[in-house]
Structure formats: C-alpha cells, structure tokens
Amino acid sequence: MKILAILYSGGSAAEEEKRLLGTTENQLGIRDWLESQGHELIVSDDKEGPGSIFQQHILDAEVLITTPFHPGYLTRDLVEKSKNLKICVTAGVGSDHIDLNACVEKGIEVLEVTGSNVVSVAEHVVMSILLLVRNFVPAHEMIERGDWQVSDIARNAFDLEGKVVGTIGCGRIGYRVLQRLQPFNCKELLYYDYADLPADASKAVNARRVADLKDLVSQCDVITVNCPLHEGTRNLVNAELLKHFKKGAWLVNTARGAICDKDAVAAALKAGQINGYAGDVWNVQPSPKDHPWRTMKNPLGGGNGMVPHYSGTTLDAQARYAAGVKSILENYFTGKPQEPANIIIGKGKYATKAYGQR
Ligand code: NAI
C-alpha cells in the first residue's frame, strides 16, 4: 500500500532531538513498522505546485497523512485527481486544509487524532492572554535593548483579574481554556457556540453562553477563538465584527488564521480598536515574510504576540499524535472500527458537528 506523508522539515533540530516525531526526518516513528508490513512510505515537506512531491504522489497514494503545522492543501482538484485515495489522517487536530466536502462526495474518510494536543493549545492560549494583558513582549524587548523605562510598559499593563473573557467555540480546547482561567478570578467567563455545554460542565467553570456573536464580543475584554475553520467560520472576525469589540480588547486566535481577516485585524490593532492580537496560526503556512501579522503593533508599539504554528506541537503533543496516527493506521489495515471521536468524515458523510451545522 502506498502511504504519503506531508510533514514539516525539522533540519538539524530533528537530527538532534528524536522526539520531534512530526518531522520529515523522524517520520512519526512509523517507517520501520510500515515497511516491515510491506507498505511503501513517501515522506516530504514539498507541498506546493503541480511538480511537488505532494501533488505527484497523491495521484496514486491510498493513505495521506498531513499535519496542520505544515499543511498539505488537499484541494477539490487534487481529491478528484487522486485515483486510489481512501483515507486522510491528520497528525494533530484540525483538518480544514482538506476539502472535506469533496472527500464526502468521493467517499474518502478523514480522521484526526482528536484530543491529542488540546491541553497544549489551551496552555498556549492562557499564556497568550496573559502576555497581552500584562504587556509582556514590549517589556522583554526593552530589556534586550538595554533600556529601562518602567512607565512605558506599565501604562498599558493590566491584571487579568476582574476582566471578562469569552471564547468563540467551546469544545475541547475552548472548555480547557475556561477551566485553566478559574484561579484568575475573572469577572465573567462567556462562550459562543451552537452546541450548549452540558449543564454540569458549564456550572463547573461558571460560564454563561451568549447566543449572539456581536453581543458576546461587545461584552468581552478578552476574546479567544477556539472553533474549527469551515464555511461558517472563515473570516468570522472581520472589520464589521471588530467594530463591535470593546475598544482596547485583546484577541487571541490559536484556532486557524483564516477565521480572522488579516487586514482587518492589522488595521484594528494599528488604530487601537484592539489592544493586542496573539496566536500561532496564519491564513497561509508558512506565512510570507511580509505578512502584516508578523510586525503589526498597537499605537504604543506593543500588542503583538504572534509566533509560528507550534502551540499544538510540543514534544508531549507529538508523542500523542504520532501514537494516534499509528493506531488509526493499524485499525485501517486490520479493518477494526476507528475511535468514533477521531472520525471527521466517515463513509460518505460528516461524523462530527464541529465543522459546521448541516
Ligand atoms: P472541538 O471539535 O472539540 O471543538 C470545536 C467547537 O467549536 C465545537 O464545540 C463546535 O460546536 C464549535 N464551533 C464550530 N463552529 C462554530 C461556530 N460557527 N461558532 C461557534 N462555535 C463553533 O475541537 P477542538 O479540539 O477544541 O479544536 C478546535 C480547533 O482548534 C481545531 O479545529 C483546530 O483548528 C484548532 N487547533 C489548533 C492547534 C494549534 O496548534 N494551534 C492544535 C489543535 C487544534
């Protein structure tokens, strides 16, 4: 069986650190196992354009493994050209880089390693909220420059205590963020999701659901985005919605870059409509060198907490999603049922509500 894996190149870091399992060098730790069963494994980071390894080998691969950190974009066109493709496995969580509707139509299954990195991301969200609210990045940059001017930082530094925090999407990650915010004594925790939290779960974190998105953002000091990218969430945070944010609110997005309009966010930050933006996800990955989110700033020269896409690929997360990919493949080879929570597209239909209400 031909298996194609599009992963990110780890360079010398991956040679030195074998726990970087999600790289082209360490190949999720599955090469020997696959080859011992007679399967062919092609691994590459070369994913763009018709001449790329991805676009050549997708034509006859039966299994495609991709990672959200260096997404191999499986477009409708490629789905149609892929003659043998039966199953796509996302090494991680978030399969928006795959044309899911095209996979439904063609009977291709799509699976993720659900839950594998949700704690990793939730921790990153809480860290990002704190670094924006407390104005951490400019403070650190000042120290590196050799300067010391406390008031330049303190004039835009606040406590998280007493603030209203809201999450757009309250699934595994969104809920874990609310759990991790408990000791900070926020004024209120809010969520916007078409799925209600079970009563005991919302009581446990003392969170209130807000049914209207404009209503949610207008009440929040901090907004965190934790829903998947799909037709209903692409560009959800756009110029119009940003007008309804509280002036000076902070926005954290570790879900997917394309959920927020890049130019509208950069303009809102520059104008001070929002005081900060942080996250690790970009509308195209790797992001171009001139992407506005790399350098955008608020009027005081701070408010940017952007990093490359890594929140869900800590070494702990890589161990979990590599093991999860192996288990999904094992089930596929032996015909065993897959874990229901891992199935995004089952046989010809969506198996989850997370990618939009249908
Ligand atoms: P989940 O499936 O447990 O939760 C997603 C929630 O979003 C669900 O409750 C769903 O009802 C809600 N939702 C969907 N559409 C919505 C909409 N239009 N408005 C409001 N809520 C909506 O997924 P999980 O595990 O919490 O992951 C969420 C997303 O986080 C992933 O799809 C992925 O895009 C991103 N992610 C990012 C990572 C990173 O490294 N930055 C790593 C893992 C996930």
Side-chain angles (χ1 to χ4, degrees), residues 79-321:
V79 169
E80 276 157 15
K81 286 185 186 149
S82 60
K83 296 283 169 269
N84 294 340
L85 189 62
K86 302 272 184 325
I87 177 169
C88 300
V89 184
T90 300
V93 173
S95 302
D96 49 276
H97 55 285
I98 290 173
D99 190 320
L100 297 174
N101 293 332
C103 288
V104 169
E105 288 163 33
K106 208 156 170 227
I108 297 168
E109 290 179 76
V110 180
L111 286 101
E112 300 180 349
V113 190
T114 296
S116 56
N117 51 17
V118 295
V119 166
S120 323
V121 179
E123 288 186 2
H124 194 98
V125 172
V126 174
M127 174 187 78
S128 300
I129 292 173
L130 284 168
L131 69 83
L132 289 182
V133 171
R134 305 198 60 87
N135 208 17
F136 177 85
V137 175
H140 179 70
E141 288 168 346
M142 170 184 284
I143 285 303
E144 284 202 342
R145 278 198 311 273
D147 294 342
W148 184 285
Q149 190 46 264
V150 173
S151 343
D152 283 357
I153 302 301
R155 67 183 290 184
N156 199 22
F158 298 83
D159 297 341
L160 181 54
E161 182 170 87
K163 304 297 183 290
V164 178
V165 182
T167 173
I168 301 178
C170 198
R172 293 174 183 85
I173 296 173
Y175 187 73
R176 279 165 180 74
V177 170
L178 299 184
Q179 282 180 318
R180 279 156 183 74
L181 289 175
Q182 296 302 302
F184 287 96
N185 295 326
C186 293
K187 185 172 176 192
E188 223 188 346
L189 298 178
L190 308 177
Y191 71 98
Y192 169 82
D193 196 309
Y194 47 64
D196 237 334
L197 280 175
D200 54 340
S202 79
K203 196 165 161 227
V205 293
N206 198 15
R208 176 166 67 83
R209 182 176 175 201
V210 179
D212 179 77
L213 185 54
K214 285 181 183 153
D215 195 14
L216 175 96
V217 299
S218 67
Q219 297 180 55
C220 290
D221 300 295
V222 179
I223 303 283
T224 151
V225 184
N226 296 296
C227 56
L229 172 64
H230 55 76
E231 305 93 316
T233 59
R234 187 173 293 277
N235 257 355
L236 188 65
V237 182
N238 52 28
E240 167 58 21
L241 188 70
L242 282 159
K243 283 188 210 152
H244 295 268
F245 275 50
K246 260 187 171 175
K247 187 164 167 59
W250 296 275
L251 175 57
V252 173
N253 175 16
T254 53
R256 283 297 176 258
I259 296 172
C260 296
D261 178 318
K262 79 171 170 21
D263 296 321
V265 164
L269 185 65
K270 190 171 173 209
Q273 170 58 12
I274 56 173
N275 196 0
Y277 183 91
D280 65 332
V281 286
W282 305 74
N283 58 329
V284 179
Q285 294 186 185
S287 102
K289 282 209 159 60
D290 62 351
H291 195 292
W293 289 3
R294 286 179 183 262
T295 52
M296 63 187 180
K297 300 272 193 296
N298 64 23
L300 294 173
N304 185 326
M306 289 306 293
V307 293
H309 191 173
Y310 84 101
S311 72
T313 191
T314 57
L315 294 182
D316 299 300
Q318 296 198 35
R320 291 189 293 263
Y321 66 67

